[in-house]
Amino acid sequence: MPAVPQQPVAPSGAIDAARSVPPSRIPGDVPDLREVLVDGGRRSAYVHADLTPLLGRQLNVDAVSRALDEHGVDYFLVRGMDDRTPVIGVSEVDRVAALSALEKLGGLETCYVSQVLPRPPIVGGLRDASEAPAWTELYVAQAIKLTWFRVDPSLKLILGPTYGCEIEFWKPDRAAGVLRAPRRNRMMGAVALNGTPVQVGEHRLTRLASPAKRYPTRRSRPEFDRLLPDDIDFPIDVVYTWVDGADPQWQQRRAGIRGESLHAEAASESRYINRDELKYSLRSLHLNVPWVRNIYIVTDHQRPAWLDLSAGNIFLVNHEEIFAAPDALPTFNSCSIESQLHRIDGLAEHFLYLNDDMFFGRPLAPQTFFLANGNTKFFLSQNRIALGEKTELDSPVDAMIKNNRALIEKRFGRTLTQGSQHVPYPLRRSILAEIEREFPIEHDATMRSRFRSADDLTITYSLHHYYAFLTGRALPGHVNYGYVQLAVPDLEARLRRAEARRDWDTFCINDAFSTFAQLQHQMSILEPFMEAYFPVPSPYELRTSG
């Protein structure tokens, strides 16, 4: 499945206490240990300042691989069924040596051991790996798991059994000259009995890793060093459009184009509260879609005060850098700006377009949004757009979808009736450029529309997906999607539910018209939620001292 299955990371109220525990038994410089309460049980957890799901997976592989190497046990990384859970294969012949090495590891590091296969009566039952009785029953298991609990310094992000390293024992079949797997994996059920180990990239073992990024190589077998039909090996970028509506200079430019006079008092009364949604959206990206290549933030000569561009893969793009017609600027219309995204210099053919109020809720594979043959996916809303001409009763979005409908009907003879969910939009540069060529008059009019108009096209939200689908380059997809409207009386309860369950692939927290007092109240609820859900700073934030 394209979306990686999810276990809640840090349920609300899961940590009711945190206190120091005795120092780790690992020699040398190691992370601190803290005690946390997870699912009603106390666990010792290592603290990592820059923890991510992919890093947690890698650290667990490192620990098991190192133990097996030190004891001369042959092993190979397997491409398992869950992208978050690493799997290591060991021959049944080496079972005793492997278990002995892992039991010694359990005496050195604070971790837990459990049986995976055969499925135990108490699934997921964890035993302290430093206790000898915990290993007694495992000497006949077909697969076991070593789990380290790893947390960020705030104790909000908790990685546990889902990221634990599984060790499975492959049975020799000497007549066939192979080792046979005890269960399914993504590749095959057998490898050569006396095969030569090879070093493979992390992307061969989990779809969370990008083939374009450098990770430590892993000991595996040639059978796993292959590209599957559904593997994505092309680069994927992310594009945001962002505006600071509280910026007085931006407000002045906007008022000037409207022919209005902007008074300081009016600007103060009408300004938006800056919730820093972009910062938390970037955190969600860093945590949950680490396979993204470059990030482009399209803006009107603005820059968030917290933004750090030194990571090398994040760029600010000003409007005049991408607009085909400079005289169409300045513009204050998101539809106009979106019509020009395909002109970003260096942008990958495949990219995700996000508003800053969209978030990746849990680890996702790129197959959530794209197919390996290059086609995109799209996610339709369940709402229906009424048939007929535009009327004054139409919302701006509905009116623009009706404009899209007219073009689709004329070009393909099909009538669209649905918009899209507010999720990251998978797009292709070539298709956006093709739409510009196919509908030049309407496209140009949208580009030149300085303020949102009922005559605009909504290209990234709707037109691209239908056009790509009807030309054989897109398919409907599915995500477990959440939408939170801020102006609701039970906002706090909804956010508590989201934090506790963490079962959304993506979610959107949308602004609505509110009074200044309401905005302040919303901020007092939203900021703690965002910090709890995405506590780990991304590489794109300036680090403050202290």
Side-chain angles (χ1 to χ4, degrees):
M1 296 177 65
V4 179
Q6 175 68 7
Q7 170 179 303
V9 181
S12 178
I15 305 168
D16 68 350
R19 58 181 176 83
S20 297
V21 295
S24 168
R25 288 163 293 188
I26 307 174
D29 186 18
V30 296
D32 291 335
L33 275 170
R34 301 292 297 275
E35 188 173 276
V36 297
L37 184 66
V38 183
D39 296 331
R42 294 189 179 277
R43 304 295 182 187
S44 295
Y46 288 103
V47 180
H48 303 270
D50 297 306
L51 185 64
T52 68
L54 182 57
L55 176 60
R57 183 189 196 280
Q58 292 170 327
L59 290 172
N60 296 341
V61 172
D62 289 343
V64 173
S65 299
R66 185 170 56 249
L68 296 176
D69 283 331
E70 290 174 354
H71 290 80
V73 179
D74 187 26
Y75 66 92
F76 49 92
L77 267 290
V78 176
R79 189 168 183 177
M81 300 300 292
D82 189 324
D83 288 301
R84 300 163 303 170
T85 307
V87 179
I88 290 180
V90 175
S91 171
E92 180 70 36
V93 173
D94 297 319
R95 168 189 288 273
V96 174
L99 289 175
S100 176
L102 297 176
E103 185 173 354
K104 290 179 181 178
L105 174 63
L108 293 173
E109 299 195 8
T110 303
C111 58
Y112 302 85
V113 65
S114 58
Q115 180 173 309
V116 175
L117 192 71
R119 196 174 175 87
I122 302 177
V123 177
L126 303 180
R127 302 281 299 276
D128 188 332
S130 67
E131 298 176 355
W135 294 88
T136 303
E137 298 177 0
L138 300 181
Y139 275 78
V140 295
Q142 294 172 283
I144 67 171
K145 176 184 286 189
L146 279 178
T147 293
W148 288 258
F149 284 90
R150 304 188 188 276
V151 299
D152 78 295
S154 74
L155 307 183
K156 297 294 186 182
L157 176 65
I158 302 177
L159 304 181
T162 300
Y163 301 88
C165 187
E166 297 183 350
I167 302 91
E168 56 185 26
F169 297 99
W170 291 48
K171 292 186 177 181
D173 182 342
R174 301 193 183 281
V178 298
L179 288 173
R180 297 198 181 278
R183 55 181 179 171
R184 289 186 305 136
N185 58 62
R186 284 191 178 275
M187 298 293 291
M188 55 196 65
V191 299
L193 181 62
N194 298 311
T196 302
V198 296
Q199 294 296 119
V200 305
E202 194 89 26
H203 65 285
R204 288 286 191 248
L205 305 167
T206 173
R207 296 176 299 179
L208 296 180
S210 166
K213 296 183 179 181
R214 291 186 177 182
Y215 309 100
T217 57
R218 302 295 186 187
R219 179 186 176 93
S220 188
R221 289 292 190 91
E223 290 88 344
F224 295 104
D225 192 18
R226 297 175 183 271
L227 196 65
L228 293 176
D230 67 338
D231 284 340
I232 290 177
D233 60 351
F234 50 77
I236 301 171
D237 290 342
V238 162
V239 174
Y240 287 94
T241 50
W242 180 79
V243 63
D244 180 4
D247 178 7
Q249 293 182 347
W250 180 87
Q251 291 180 349
Q252 188 69 53
R253 290 196 298 273
R254 188 172 185 269
I257 293 298
R258 283 187 178 274
E260 301 171 348
S261 178
L262 184 71
H263 299 288
E265 183 178 354
S268 175
E269 290 175 350
S270 64
R271 81 182 193 277
Y272 303 99
I273 288 182
N274 182 9
R275 299 186 182 90
D276 282 337
E277 289 100 332
L278 179 60
K279 178 171 72 174
Y280 294 105
S281 185
L282 286 170
R283 287 187 182 187
S284 79
L285 183 156
H286 173 62
L287 284 171
N288 295 322
V289 290
W291 37 264
V292 164
R293 186 186 68 162
N294 291 332
I295 303 164
Y296 298 90
I297 302 173
V298 178
T299 185
D300 184 12
H301 291 278
Q302 295 180 313
R303 175 175 176 171
W306 49 263
L307 183 64
D308 185 353
L309 299 177
S310 67
N313 71 327
I314 186 167
F315 309 93
L316 285 177
V317 179
N318 290 312
H319 293 169
E320 64 265 21
E321 298 178 48
I322 62 174
F323 264 69
D327 60 345
L329 296 173
T331 185
F332 306 90
N333 178 4
S334 61
C335 295
S336 169
I337 299 165
E338 290 164 2
S339 76
Q340 305 297 297
L341 297 183
H342 59 290
R343 297 179 178 274
I344 296 174
D345 186 32
L347 179 66
E349 162 69 4
H350 299 85
F351 68 98
L352 295 173
Y353 169 56
L354 282 76
N355 302 129
D356 63 1
D357 58 2
M358 295 177 180
F359 307 89
F360 299 98
R362 55 184 177 178
L364 300 173
Q367 286 82 353
T368 307
F369 305 101
F370 298 95
L371 297 173
N373 62 6
N375 289 352
T376 60
K377 296 184 180 182
F378 59 98
F379 312 96
L380 292 178
S381 167
Q382 295 304 306
N383 295 330
R384 297 301 194 270
I385 311 302
L387 297 176
E389 300 296 323
K390 289 183 294 185
T391 73
E392 294 182 354
L393 298 178
D394 287 327
S395 69
V397 172
D398 285 0
M400 288 185 279
I401 292 177
K402 288 185 176 182
N403 298 333
N404 293 350
R405 174 193 292 164
L407 298 184
I408 294 296
E409 284 181 336
K410 183 177 180 180
R411 173 68 172 77
F412 300 103
R414 302 296 180 101
T415 299
L416 67 89
T417 62
Q418 293 171 266
S420 296
Q421 294 177 340
H422 291 276
V423 302
Y425 306 124
L427 303 172
R428 292 181 63 174
R429 289 185 78 179
S430 60
I431 293 176
L432 292 173
E434 190 174 325
I435 288 172
E436 181 178 14
R437 296 192 299 270
E438 185 75 22
F439 310 112
I441 296 175
E442 296 85 354
H443 193 281
D444 185 74
T446 296
M447 176 189 66
R448 295 180 180 278
S449 176
R450 296 185 189 273
F451 301 94
R452 179 174 287 200
S453 164
D455 296 326
D456 293 338
L457 301 176
T458 175
I459 298 172
T460 59
Y461 174 72
S462 169
L463 185 57
H464 172 281
H465 311 310
Y466 282 102
Y467 185 90
F469 174 68
L470 293 170
T471 55
R473 290 171 287 180
L475 287 173
H478 172 75
V479 290
N480 192 17
Y481 154 71
Y483 181 85
V484 178
Q485 177 60 260
L486 287 176
V488 292
D490 60 342
L491 174 63
E492 190 168 7
R494 294 189 187 195
L495 295 181
R496 279 201 306 267
R497 177 265 181 207
E499 182 189 348
R501 298 183 63 174
R502 294 177 183 256
D503 57 353
W504 288 334
D505 295 326
T506 72
F507 62 92
C508 175
I509 297 179
N510 198 27
D511 285 321
F513 177 78
S514 304
T515 66
F516 186 69
Q518 288 173 325
L519 289 171
Q520 288 180 307
H521 175 66
Q522 292 165 7
M523 185 62 180
S524 69
I525 298 173
L526 185 59
E527 186 174 18
F529 164 76
M530 299 301 280
E531 279 291 336
Y533 208 109
F534 305 115
V536 179
S538 77
Y540 315 116
E541 297 174 40
L542 294 171
R543 301 300 176 99
T544 58
S545 59

